[in-house]
Amino acid sequence: MSGYDRVVQPAAGDEALENHLGGDEAKNYRQYELDMVAPHVGRSMLEIGSGLGHFAEQFLPRLDRLVVSDFDPYCVEQLEKRFAGRDDIDVLQFGLPTDIPLEDKVDTVVMMNVLEHIEEDAEALRSLARVTLPGGRIIIWVPGYMQLYGDFDRKVGHVQRYTPKTLGATVAKAGLDVEVLKPINFLGGIAWWAAVRRGGVGYPDPRLVKIYDRTVVPTTRFIERFIRPPFGQTVFCVARVPQPKA
């Protein structure tokens, strides 16, 4: 059974709760995601949980090949419409862990807010490693710290939130090497704790998301240029698929 079967509500789609954290109300946050991920992306990319394709589309100018994917049939249908007629873009439907139906390996896999939905997380990463070139990267963006786990996490089917230690252990169990592993968006973590945990809010208010995006995100980005935060709303990891030993 795929860990995706635990998802209470799909992680993507027009009405998905998680979209309110990366939609029109959060343009600065979307740019934050792109700027963190882009330096680690090569020339061929597989995105896991592509949703409606907004994030993956931003990488097209730098890619020779793009593969988008999702488990949700609605999202797959929308992806096929969005990228219709593009020979350099493939659309796949699958849930992890599984044998991914990809003939030619990619040098980069990107999974934004996906791994936390999957109970068999290490096995999911092994599935991805099998379709990634040796030396290639698997970029992982997950919600951080179980102290921030609340009703929102339950509603969108999060199995867990990670720390650098727990994510690092999962990456190592999958046989991957860690290149980057750190908490990010620490002011966002404080705001999330205050609103969702301490405040008892189970759903991010779009009005507050706009305020958060205009104030907290730029401030966090500025501060994190100079210091490594002790915790954060998100844990960011770049894992490497090992090269074969001589």
Side-chain angles (χ1 to χ4, degrees):
M1 177 180 292
S2 164
Y4 276 80
D5 295 324
R6 291 180 57 102
V7 176
V8 178
Q9 176 174 348
D14 284 339
E15 299 301 322
L17 297 184
E18 285 176 307
N19 273 4
H20 290 280
L21 301 183
D24 291 337
E25 298 93 353
K27 293 179 180 178
N28 285 328
Y29 185 77
R30 290 207 315 269
Q31 188 64 47
Y32 183 29
E33 291 179 315
L34 179 64
D35 291 344
M36 288 293 298
V37 171
H40 307 284
V41 173
R43 301 300 304 179
S44 57
M45 182 179 112
L46 164 63
E47 186 187 28
I48 307 299
S50 299
L52 305 182
H54 299 101
F55 189 69
E57 191 173 54
Q58 299 175 95
F59 293 90
L60 284 175
R62 69 180 69 208
L63 294 174
D64 298 322
R65 175 177 168 233
L66 171 65
V67 183
V68 291
S69 69
D70 212 283
F71 180 65
D72 179 22
Y74 169 80
C75 293
V76 172
E77 179 185 356
Q78 296 304 308
L79 290 168
E80 289 174 342
K81 290 179 180 178
R82 188 184 196 99
F83 299 118
R86 292 290 300 258
D87 294 335
D88 56 337
I89 303 176
D90 294 316
V91 179
L92 300 178
Q93 181 178 3
F94 59 85
L96 292 169
T98 191
D99 289 325
I100 299 171
L102 192 63
E103 292 184 9
D104 297 321
K105 294 184 178 184
V106 296
D107 61 36
T108 310
V109 175
V110 174
M111 52 189 328
M112 306 292 290
N113 295 316
V114 173
L115 194 64
E116 68 274 13
H117 291 274
I118 304 172
E119 192 164 12
E120 299 175 34
D121 51 1
E123 187 58 40
L125 293 179
R126 291 190 194 101
S127 297
L128 298 176
R130 289 195 291 269
V131 296
T132 305
L133 291 166
R137 295 180 172 101
I138 299 176
I139 301 168
I140 307 164
W141 182 289
V142 289
Y145 298 86
M146 286 301 290
Q147 293 93 326
L148 303 181
Y149 193 99
D151 287 343
F152 176 82
D153 296 275
R154 282 184 284 273
K155 287 177 181 177
V156 297
H158 289 173
V159 177
Q160 64 175 312
R161 299 178 73 99
Y162 289 87
T163 65
K165 183 178 180 180
T166 60
L167 183 56
T170 298
V171 167
K173 186 178 178 181
L176 304 172
D177 299 325
V178 170
E179 185 173 273
V180 178
L181 179 60
K182 61 183 178 180
I184 60 174
N185 194 13
F186 82 105
L187 289 182
I190 295 171
W192 185 265
W193 179 83
V196 177
R197 295 292 289 133
R198 189 71 175 176
V201 177
Y203 187 98
D205 186 331
R207 293 170 298 178
L208 294 179
V209 171
K210 284 185 178 181
I211 296 171
Y212 161 84
D213 191 62
R214 292 173 185 168
T215 59
V216 175
V217 174
T219 303
T220 294
R221 294 195 65 173
F222 177 78
I223 293 173
E224 289 181 0
R225 287 168 55 191
F226 303 101
I227 67 167
R228 178 186 174 117
F231 77 104
Q233 186 182 7
T234 298
V235 177
F236 178 69
C237 177
V238 180
R240 283 270 193 178
V241 177
Q243 298 275 6
K245 294 182 180 180

